[in-house]
Amino acid sequence: MSTGSPRVLPADGDLAEAAAVLRTGGLVAFPTETVYGLGANALDARAAARIFEAKQRPSFDPLITHLADAADLEALVGPVPPAVAALADRFWPGPLTLIVDRPDAIPPIVTSGLDTMAVRVPDNEYARRLIAAAGVPLAAPSANRFGQLSPTRAEHVVRGLGAAVEVVLDGGPTRCGIESTIVDARGERPVVLRLGALPVEEVEKITGPVTVRLGNSGQPVAPGTLAAHYAPRTPLRLLAAGEPPAGGGPRRGYLAFRDRPAQGWAVVEVLSASGDLTEAAAQLFEALHRLDVAGVSEIVAEPVPDTGVGRAVNDRLRRAAATWQPAG
Ligand code: TXA
Ligand code: MG
């Protein structure tokens, strides 16, 4: 366990210090439009190794490389297949991660030994300015300890990682609130490896029909898709669609989509009172972080409508609930 605190700097201030930390092999957490990332120089194997250490992340779980600009992709990896280029053109900067061949410049530790690499251009001004100021691509997973809730605020990063990270850039709450969608568009029919902030329907408008293949166990394709992941410390039980929110109590919290349940719960979090799925996604980890520090002994969550970005929200809830066991 690391003690002490990182330096928290405003993301809209001078980024020279953060860029210098990155260039000398250190770790900087920074905001993206999805969640906060824990960044290191992606060209430096030793810097990348520090990410795995800080997150207590298994070395089989590869990192995403972040670029400042879509134009930097070909410079790093050379020509890419047409569908990959088309998706990058349409959605970058944005919450879409693409799979490409790993270039020699990226050390194998970044990709956990895979000969493919995940890459994206985040749609956050501070993130892109930081990458440009560092002058190197940044390997960055979500800035949380492995398996825990993803951070959507600088405070979450400080609470979760402490002094394991040198600098945290505070850019306020993140806009999307859940991670990027991961797509492997190198083959004939694109494969979605992780549901995320960009709805599958949007990807299909560019590529035609895709296959959704989410790993669950064994050798995961995208280990962020491990069955138990994104979990609060408090046990979380996920209701079936349409199941009534029965069984409140003084020590139980409830996560609702749009309607507050009848009284009887210690704490209630509503993801979107207007029933908006984009807002629900943005609030998901926020609400789970709040429920997790509310001192309840169980969180009961209801699924959201399983369409658009709602599919990614339900995916996170299922994984958060994967280790839940009935009490007694
Ligand atoms: O929105 C996001 O993607 C955030 C922000 C910080 O950019 N990052 C993020 O990183 O979610 P992380 O490490 O928490 O999740 C990365 C996911 C993992 O599930 C990993 O297994 C998968 O990307 N991944 C990385 N490289 C891959 C590859 N070559 N093939 C398949 N999956 C890969
Ligand atoms: Mg993660």
Side-chain angles (χ1 to χ4, degrees):
M1 279 304 296
S2 37
T3 52
S5 314
R7 268 167 72 65
V8 180
L9 302 174
D12 60 358
D14 183 2
L15 298 179
E17 180 182 341
V21 167
L22 288 167
R23 274 196 304 273
T24 51
L27 301 182
V28 173
F30 61 95
T32 78
E33 80 281 34
T34 59
V35 300
Y36 275 73
L38 178 62
N41 179 356
L43 307 176
D44 177 347
R46 220 183 286 185
R50 294 196 50 204
I51 291 179
F52 289 91
E53 229 169 88
K55 277 191 64 115
Q56 297 164 4
R57 176 173 174 124
S59 59
F60 64 71
D61 196 1
L63 307 173
I64 297 174
T65 296
H66 294 66
L67 305 176
D69 196 289
D72 299 339
L73 179 66
E74 286 221 356
L76 180 64
V77 308
V80 295
V84 176
L87 288 169
D89 256 12
R90 172 66 184 83
F91 295 114
W92 283 359
L96 173 68
T97 293
L98 294 166
I99 303 296
V100 297
D101 292 338
R102 178 180 61 83
D104 291 340
I106 298 291
I109 185 173
V110 169
T111 65
S112 298
L114 297 176
D115 49 21
T116 57
M117 174 180 83
V119 60
R120 80 181 193 97
V121 177
D123 185 19
N124 179 293
E125 187 198 329
Y126 308 128
R128 286 161 54 218
R129 278 175 42 206
L130 176 70
I131 302 165
V136 291
L138 296 186
S142 52
N144 52 280
R145 300 233 188 243
F146 186 72
Q148 298 184 354
L149 291 175
S150 301
T152 56
R153 290 177 183 273
E155 302 92 277
H156 299 158
V157 180
V158 174
R159 202 192 300 150
L161 293 178
V165 51
E166 274 102 322
V167 172
V168 179
L169 290 184
D170 186 350
T174 60
R175 173 165 61 79
C176 301
I178 54 172
E179 294 83 350
S180 60
T181 302
I182 304 179
V183 178
D184 183 352
R186 294 171 306 145
E188 204 153 307
R189 186 184 169 111
V191 183
V192 172
L193 300 175
R194 179 175 71 182
L195 296 169
L198 182 71
V200 170
E201 294 88 330
E202 293 299 310
V203 174
E204 289 185 319
K205 282 183 194 160
I206 302 298
T207 62
V210 302
T211 302
V212 177
R213 192 188 302 149
L214 310 175
N216 261 321
S217 58
Q219 266 297 351
V221 203
T225 57
L226 284 166
H229 213 81
Y230 309 110
R233 290 192 176 81
T234 315
L236 182 143
R237 179 160 71 90
L238 180 61
L239 299 175
E243 187 179 342
R251 301 219 44 221
R252 305 177 89 207
Y254 191 78
L255 181 70
F257 171 47
R258 68 183 295 169
D259 299 317
R260 300 186 74 83
Q263 292 195 351
W265 299 86
V267 224
V268 172
E269 289 283 345
V270 176
L271 291 177
S272 171
S274 63
D276 178 68
L277 285 171
T278 302
E279 184 185 20
Q283 289 302 317
L284 175 70
F285 286 121
E286 291 276 311
L288 287 172
H289 277 285
R290 282 196 296 264
L291 285 163
D292 213 12
V293 297
V296 293
S297 56
E298 185 178 63
I299 299 166
V300 177
E302 61 185 35
V304 304
D306 205 43
T307 169
V309 76
R311 289 179 69 183
V313 172
N314 287 335
D315 170 79
R316 301 299 186 276
L317 286 172
R318 270 193 298 276
R319 294 174 201 284
T323 52
W324 180 82
Q325 302 260 329

